[in-house]
Short mmCIF file of all heavy atoms in Angstrom, two decimals:
data_model
loop_
_atom_site.label_atom_id
_atom_site.label_comp_id
_atom_site.label_asym_id
_atom_site.label_seq_id
_atom_site.Cartn_x
_atom_site.Cartn_y
_atom_site.Cartn_z
N GLN A 1 -1.77 -38.16 5.48
CA GLN A 1 -3.17 -37.74 5.55
C GLN A 1 -3.38 -36.61 4.53
O GLN A 1 -2.60 -35.65 4.50
CB GLN A 1 -3.48 -37.29 6.99
CG GLN A 1 -4.94 -37.25 7.35
CD GLN A 1 -5.64 -35.98 6.86
OE1 GLN A 1 -5.04 -34.95 6.65
NE2 GLN A 1 -6.94 -36.11 6.68
N PRO A 2 -4.41 -36.68 3.68
CA PRO A 2 -4.57 -35.73 2.58
C PRO A 2 -4.71 -34.26 3.00
O PRO A 2 -4.13 -33.39 2.35
CB PRO A 2 -5.84 -36.21 1.86
CG PRO A 2 -5.91 -37.66 2.17
CD PRO A 2 -5.36 -37.80 3.56
N LEU A 3 -5.44 -33.96 4.06
CA LEU A 3 -5.57 -32.56 4.45
C LEU A 3 -4.24 -32.01 4.93
O LEU A 3 -3.86 -30.89 4.59
CB LEU A 3 -6.65 -32.38 5.53
CG LEU A 3 -6.91 -30.94 5.97
CD1 LEU A 3 -7.31 -30.07 4.78
CD2 LEU A 3 -7.98 -30.90 7.05
N TYR A 4 -3.50 -32.80 5.70
CA TYR A 4 -2.16 -32.39 6.13
C TYR A 4 -1.26 -32.20 4.90
O TYR A 4 -0.52 -31.21 4.81
CB TYR A 4 -1.54 -33.43 7.07
CG TYR A 4 -0.13 -33.08 7.47
CD1 TYR A 4 0.10 -32.20 8.52
CD2 TYR A 4 0.96 -33.62 6.80
CE1 TYR A 4 1.40 -31.86 8.88
CE2 TYR A 4 2.25 -33.28 7.15
CZ TYR A 4 2.47 -32.40 8.19
OH TYR A 4 3.75 -32.06 8.53
N ALA A 5 -1.31 -33.13 3.95
CA ALA A 5 -0.51 -33.03 2.74
C ALA A 5 -0.85 -31.76 1.97
O ALA A 5 0.04 -31.09 1.44
CB ALA A 5 -0.72 -34.25 1.86
N ALA A 6 -2.14 -31.42 1.91
CA ALA A 6 -2.56 -30.22 1.18
C ALA A 6 -2.01 -28.96 1.84
O ALA A 6 -1.43 -28.10 1.16
CB ALA A 6 -4.09 -30.15 1.13
N ILE A 7 -2.16 -28.85 3.15
CA ILE A 7 -1.72 -27.63 3.84
C ILE A 7 -0.20 -27.55 3.89
O ILE A 7 0.40 -26.54 3.51
CB ILE A 7 -2.35 -27.55 5.24
CG1 ILE A 7 -3.87 -27.36 5.09
CG2 ILE A 7 -1.74 -26.40 6.04
CD1 ILE A 7 -4.65 -27.50 6.38
N ALA A 8 0.46 -28.62 4.36
CA ALA A 8 1.92 -28.61 4.44
C ALA A 8 2.54 -28.48 3.05
O ALA A 8 3.46 -27.69 2.84
CB ALA A 8 2.43 -29.87 5.14
N GLY A 9 2.02 -29.26 2.10
CA GLY A 9 2.54 -29.18 0.73
C GLY A 9 2.34 -27.80 0.13
O GLY A 9 3.21 -27.27 -0.55
N GLY A 10 1.17 -27.19 0.40
CA GLY A 10 0.91 -25.84 -0.10
C GLY A 10 1.84 -24.81 0.49
O GLY A 10 2.36 -23.94 -0.21
N LEU A 11 2.08 -24.90 1.80
CA LEU A 11 2.97 -23.93 2.45
C LEU A 11 4.42 -24.10 1.99
O LEU A 11 5.12 -23.12 1.73
CB LEU A 11 2.87 -24.07 3.97
CG LEU A 11 1.53 -23.65 4.59
CD1 LEU A 11 1.50 -23.98 6.07
CD2 LEU A 11 1.24 -22.17 4.36
N ILE A 12 4.86 -25.35 1.88
CA ILE A 12 6.22 -25.61 1.41
C ILE A 12 6.39 -25.12 -0.02
O ILE A 12 7.37 -24.45 -0.36
CB ILE A 12 6.56 -27.12 1.52
CG1 ILE A 12 6.64 -27.53 3.00
CG2 ILE A 12 7.86 -27.45 0.80
CD1 ILE A 12 6.66 -29.03 3.21
N THR A 13 5.42 -25.43 -0.87
CA THR A 13 5.48 -25.02 -2.27
C THR A 13 5.42 -23.49 -2.39
O THR A 13 6.17 -22.89 -3.16
CB THR A 13 4.33 -25.68 -3.06
OG1 THR A 13 4.45 -27.09 -2.93
CG2 THR A 13 4.36 -25.30 -4.53
N GLY A 14 4.54 -22.87 -1.61
CA GLY A 14 4.45 -21.40 -1.63
C GLY A 14 5.75 -20.75 -1.22
O GLY A 14 6.16 -19.73 -1.81
N THR A 15 6.43 -21.32 -0.24
CA THR A 15 7.72 -20.78 0.18
C THR A 15 8.74 -20.91 -0.95
O THR A 15 9.52 -19.99 -1.21
CB THR A 15 8.22 -21.50 1.46
OG1 THR A 15 7.22 -21.34 2.49
CG2 THR A 15 9.54 -20.93 1.93
N GLY A 16 8.72 -22.04 -1.63
CA GLY A 16 9.61 -22.22 -2.77
C GLY A 16 9.34 -21.21 -3.87
O GLY A 16 10.27 -20.62 -4.44
N PHE A 17 8.05 -20.96 -4.17
CA PHE A 17 7.71 -19.95 -5.17
C PHE A 17 8.17 -18.56 -4.74
O PHE A 17 8.66 -17.78 -5.56
CB PHE A 17 6.20 -19.91 -5.43
CG PHE A 17 5.76 -20.89 -6.48
CD1 PHE A 17 4.93 -21.95 -6.14
CD2 PHE A 17 6.15 -20.76 -7.79
CE1 PHE A 17 4.51 -22.85 -7.09
CE2 PHE A 17 5.75 -21.65 -8.76
CZ PHE A 17 4.92 -22.71 -8.41
N LEU A 18 8.03 -18.25 -3.47
CA LEU A 18 8.46 -16.95 -2.97
C LEU A 18 9.96 -16.76 -3.19
O LEU A 18 10.40 -15.70 -3.64
CB LEU A 18 8.12 -16.81 -1.48
CG LEU A 18 8.40 -15.47 -0.84
CD1 LEU A 18 7.63 -14.34 -1.52
CD2 LEU A 18 8.06 -15.51 0.64
N VAL A 19 10.75 -17.80 -2.92
CA VAL A 19 12.18 -17.73 -3.16
C VAL A 19 12.45 -17.46 -4.64
O VAL A 19 13.26 -16.59 -4.99
CB VAL A 19 12.88 -19.04 -2.69
CG1 VAL A 19 14.34 -19.07 -3.14
CG2 VAL A 19 12.78 -19.19 -1.18
N LEU A 20 11.76 -18.19 -5.51
CA LEU A 20 11.97 -17.99 -6.95
C LEU A 20 11.56 -16.58 -7.38
O LEU A 20 12.30 -15.91 -8.11
CB LEU A 20 11.18 -19.02 -7.75
CG LEU A 20 11.61 -20.48 -7.62
CD1 LEU A 20 10.74 -21.37 -8.49
CD2 LEU A 20 13.08 -20.67 -7.97
N PHE A 21 10.39 -16.13 -6.95
CA PHE A 21 9.89 -14.81 -7.36
C PHE A 21 10.84 -13.70 -6.90
O PHE A 21 11.05 -12.73 -7.61
CB PHE A 21 8.49 -14.55 -6.82
CG PHE A 21 7.40 -15.36 -7.50
CD1 PHE A 21 6.13 -15.38 -6.95
CD2 PHE A 21 7.62 -16.07 -8.65
CE1 PHE A 21 5.11 -16.10 -7.56
CE2 PHE A 21 6.61 -16.80 -9.27
CZ PHE A 21 5.34 -16.81 -8.71
N ARG A 22 11.41 -13.83 -5.71
CA ARG A 22 12.33 -12.81 -5.20
C ARG A 22 13.61 -12.73 -6.03
O ARG A 22 14.33 -11.74 -5.95
CB ARG A 22 12.69 -13.09 -3.74
CG ARG A 22 11.53 -13.02 -2.78
CD ARG A 22 11.26 -11.60 -2.34
NE ARG A 22 10.00 -11.49 -1.65
CZ ARG A 22 9.86 -11.08 -0.42
NH1 ARG A 22 10.91 -10.72 0.26
NH2 ARG A 22 8.67 -11.01 0.12
N HIS A 23 13.87 -13.77 -6.79
CA HIS A 23 15.06 -13.78 -7.64
C HIS A 23 14.67 -13.69 -9.12
O HIS A 23 15.44 -14.11 -9.98
CB HIS A 23 15.92 -15.02 -7.35
CG HIS A 23 16.66 -14.90 -6.07
ND1 HIS A 23 17.97 -14.51 -6.02
CD2 HIS A 23 16.26 -15.05 -4.78
CE1 HIS A 23 18.36 -14.45 -4.76
NE2 HIS A 23 17.32 -14.78 -3.98
N ARG A 24 13.50 -13.11 -9.37
CA ARG A 24 13.01 -12.90 -10.74
C ARG A 24 13.06 -14.20 -11.54
O ARG A 24 13.67 -14.29 -12.61
CB ARG A 24 13.78 -11.80 -11.46
CG ARG A 24 13.67 -10.44 -10.84
CD ARG A 24 12.33 -9.76 -11.02
NE ARG A 24 12.02 -9.55 -12.43
CZ ARG A 24 10.79 -9.45 -12.89
NH1 ARG A 24 9.77 -9.50 -12.08
NH2 ARG A 24 10.57 -9.28 -14.17
N CYS A 25 12.35 -15.21 -11.02
CA CYS A 25 12.29 -16.53 -11.63
C CYS A 25 10.92 -17.11 -11.32
O CYS A 25 10.27 -16.69 -10.35
CB CYS A 25 13.39 -17.40 -11.03
SG CYS A 25 13.44 -19.09 -11.66
N SER A 26 10.46 -18.03 -12.13
CA SER A 26 9.21 -18.72 -11.84
C SER A 26 9.33 -20.15 -12.31
O SER A 26 10.39 -20.58 -12.75
CB SER A 26 8.02 -18.02 -12.52
OG SER A 26 7.92 -18.40 -13.87
#
C-alpha cells in the first residue's frame, strides 16, 4: 500500500541516514 510504503520506507531510510551521519558519511 503506497501510504504504508511512504511512511515505513521513510522511517527505515531515515534510520539508515542517521547511522551514516553518525559515522561522518552520507
Side-chain angles (χ1 to χ4, degrees):
Q1 199 279 336
L3 183 58
Y4 177 83
I7 293 170
L11 293 173
I12 292 167
T13 302
T15 303
F17 273 114
L18 185 60
V19 171
L20 294 180
F21 288 169
R22 296 276 168 120
H23 285 262
R24 297 288 299 154
C25 179
S26 81

